[in-house]
Amino acid sequence: MKLSQLLNGVKVENNYNDVEISDVTSDSREVKNGDLFVCIKGASFDGHDVAQEMLDKGASAVVVERDLGIENQIIVDDTRKAYSPICANYFGNPANELKLIGLTGTNGKTTTTFLIKQILENVGKKVGLIGTVQNMVCDEVYPAHYTTPDPHELQSMFRKMVDAHCEYCVMEVSSQALAQGRVEGLHFLLGAFTNLTQDHLDYHKTWENYFLSKRILFENCDIAVTNLDDRSGLEIVKNLPCKVVTYSVDNNSADYTAKNVVFSSKGVQYELVCDEISRVNCPIPGRFSVYNSLCAGVCALALGVDFNDVIGAISNCNGVKGRIEVVPTDTDYTVIIDYAHSPDGLENIISSLKEIAQGRVVTVFGCGGDRDRTKRPKMGAIAAKLSDFCVVTSDNPRSENPSKIIDDILEGMKDTKTPYEVVENRKDAIKWALENAKKNDIILLAGKGHETYQILPTGRIHFDEREVIKEALEEINK
Ligand SMILES: Nc1ncnc2c1ncn2[C@@H]1O[C@H](COP(=O)(O)OP(=O)(O)O)[C@@H](O)[C@H]1O
Ligand SMILES: [Mg+2]
């Protein structure tokens, strides 16, 4: 492909030779002969530092943000933002042939995208999915490395979706992705907002930045579906030209309201009220299942799916791996795996399990290393306040000393009367929790969710909690 074709729609500030390009990358390790290398400045590495090296390695040209005084450079204002349309051009702008649905918010994105996919498929649509757990082209699964992949991977997934005749792509749009221009140039038919609470503040630094980055999605969509019960719900779509559709639990001024909610360990039930009313029976337990299924249902309704089809699809939906996932065991207590790893996520999951628990709620949790440290005592305080017992352990300590992270967590637990146990090794912690479980307890393993690894100071190890539970139970029952 000609360089000029790749740069279609990108404002270039200098003259360049219109050479032939074989592929595009921003990863210096991937550069091959004939490639276009896009220099991006990251937190620990700046692609500009290796621009000449990449040309020596065979790259045909480099995209830069400042004049490096080298041959075959393309100068643009912002390389991160340019990378998205360049990749779109490379893959033939597949997103133009897809109806994009983007989900943003602190919690509930993954669950809600899966639900939307299932509702649309229920009425015969072909749907692709982009998100934290996995990427999908109809039923075909591709591994996901980030919640929202980098533009090259994202556009290549779009290409696969178009080739498979998908009509829709439902995707999680993280605030990082929005802030970094990973979805620059994409237009969404529908954008949906779940909620906004403290998370990723280590990356965005301020609440204002975090809020503004989420808003970018709604500046680029036709229909905005938003949560009236969240204090940022209306703010995030304020003064934007898109059509706004609201949902709420109990607030009649919303376009769609969930009423008379009933919780059980089998799921949630509520009346979906608009100009029609019908009872929804969502088989995923927990209070936020009301919000996630409501949001998904409203998105589908806003896209024109028939009311009764939406109600039927929610009632028949499957759960999502690692999202309030009940692990089958032959025990008189219940084991649940959930991805909650923020103060807010933990608060939501524990309090909603308390609502359905007949025995104790025992929370096994830790906090990630090399991430926002202020979360640790907060998570400790919340877990201790809401649970009947806590097992404090490790959750991806990364380069940090696990016992130091645990100390930070315990700082938030020092004023509580809730009994707890510290077991640094997560596998041992899970075994300890199962060994000490009582009849009717809910043992919540919080933090890992769908992940099947643990990142230790010594590197990444395989760690699948379903396997850990199975092994522990075998040992206990020996
Ligand atoms: N609507 C919600 N409100 C609050 N917490 C939620 C909601 N949905 C899910 N959660 C909690 O957050 C965790 C992450 O849910 P997920 O669907 O993966 O969201 P995301 O993709 O936004 O991280 C879940 O495991 C659950 O504990
Ligand atoms: Mg997610």
Side-chain angles (χ1 to χ4, degrees), residues 106 108-111 113 131-133 147 172 323 339 450:
T106 311
K109 298 182 296 296
T110 298
T111 311
T113 49
T132 320
V133 177
T147 288
E172 285 180 60
R323 305 298 186 272
Y339 192 47
H450 64 283

Side-chain angles (χ1 to χ4, degrees), residues 105-112 132 172 194-195 288 291-292 322-324 338-341 344-345 348-349:
T106 311
N107 291 304
K109 298 182 296 296
T110 298
T111 311
T112 308
T132 320
E172 285 180 60
T194 59
N195 47 59
F288 38 73
Y291 278 97
N292 297 339
R323 305 298 186 272
I324 196 159
D338 189 83
Y339 192 47
H341 58 274
D344 180 66
N348 281 316
I349 177 78

